[in-house]
Amino acid sequence: MITPIPWPEGYSAAAAFTFDVDAESAVLSGMPHMRDRVTLMSQQSYGPSVGVPRLLRLLDGFGIRSTFFVPGYTAECYPATVEEILDSGHEVAHHGYLHESLVGKSRQEEADILDRGLEVLESRFGVRPAGYRAPFWEMNWHSAELLVDRGFRYDSTLMNADHPYLLSTPSGPIVEIPIHWGLDDWGHYCFIPEMAGNAQFTSPQNLAAMWRDDASAVLDEGGLWTLTNHPFLSGRPARVRALATIVEHVLDRGDTWVGALTDIAAHVESLDLEPVTLTRPSLDADKS
């Protein structure tokens, strides 16, 4: 059973504002022919070129530290953006190389993707990331073990709790920082021809109201509220303005610790938690 955890002295809950800097990689991973669509590629490049600087100004204004999940391909294409994130004091974490879906990938295929992304971040920026988030939030049952083998301290991919916990793997435990599709801007703001959305965008004010309500409920229960935004989506002016109201709402509570995921993971590691084991469901067909 995954139970609530104590937070640092003076806080009864925690929140994190995280960003997936997918840029072109989210499209090219499954549809490489899309690179010939100039308008679409320009939309994706808006994230690192315009959205990230605007979001960094927002975070700086509130004095909070965040986590940016950066695919290796994005880091190669936009090194100045990665440097700006790091220079601003934020965490850069692993998000695949080309934002590859891991569904059906073998252990070795997945390991190769992990290592390629690690090589880019380490060789170009001197970053050995502590955290990982699977592209499309799709892991395999062997994924967490691969992360532990490479020295990752936390993952932020699973959806089975309102609190962080220690996830058991054959190679040792890793901190799991849960997320949820409902706390992701993709389903509300994203339109990619032939790939995602129907161009019926959610009003930033309405989405902010929904997220504020969700934050209040989770934080009232002493949980961890983790929001995921994509700079090519939520980096646009009206959406950043709406995001600011959510940050204000969380900070105004006065009881909520807001930080980067690596800081939250370090806190979880300091607690004497029993690792949780996840079991792959069996079916009758498995017995035949």
Side-chain angles (χ1 to χ4, degrees), residues 52-217:
V52 167
R54 181 175 288 126
L55 290 164
L56 289 175
R57 292 194 295 272
L58 170 75
L59 297 170
D60 181 64
F62 284 105
I64 60 177
R65 184 167 181 254
S66 294
T67 299
F68 289 75
F69 291 90
V70 184
Y73 181 82
T74 299
E76 288 178 332
C77 294
Y78 300 95
T81 299
V82 177
E83 294 288 1
E84 186 176 8
I85 293 169
L86 293 169
D87 290 345
S88 298
H90 300 287
E91 177 189 13
V92 168
H94 196 300
H95 198 40
Y97 174 74
L98 192 62
H99 201 274
E100 301 90 345
S101 171
L102 300 181
V103 176
K105 289 284 192 293
S106 69
R107 180 183 291 263
Q108 187 58 57
E109 289 171 331
E110 185 172 341
D112 290 344
I113 292 169
L114 277 173
D115 292 339
R116 191 176 184 187
L118 282 171
E119 195 278 331
V120 172
L121 295 178
E122 193 161 21
S123 66
R124 296 204 174 198
F125 307 99
V127 172
R128 184 71 183 186
Y132 175 79
R133 175 173 284 166
F136 302 108
W137 281 338
E138 291 281 4
M139 293 179 74
N140 293 305
W141 291 97
H142 55 248
S143 298
E145 182 181 4
L146 293 176
L147 296 178
V148 174
D149 290 343
R150 283 154 179 78
F152 285 93
R153 295 171 60 193
Y154 75 84
D155 169 68
S156 182
T157 302
L158 303 181
M159 304 187 183
N160 57 333
D162 297 316
H163 307 82
Y165 61 92
L166 280 185
L167 175 62
S168 177
T169 85
S171 294
I174 187 171
V175 175
E176 179 60 38
I177 299 180
I179 42 71
H180 190 263
W181 280 304
L183 298 176
D184 183 338
D185 59 357
W186 187 281
H188 304 279
Y189 290 155
C190 189
F191 174 67
I192 297 175
E194 300 179 26
M195 179 180 172
N198 60 7
Q200 295 181 6
F201 303 111
T202 302
S203 159
Q205 291 77 18
N206 291 343
L207 181 57
M210 184 183 81
W211 280 344
R212 287 194 299 268
D213 287 346
D214 194 276
S216 293

Side-chain angles (χ1 to χ4, degrees), residues 28 60 274:
L28 298 178
D60 181 64
E274 186 71 24

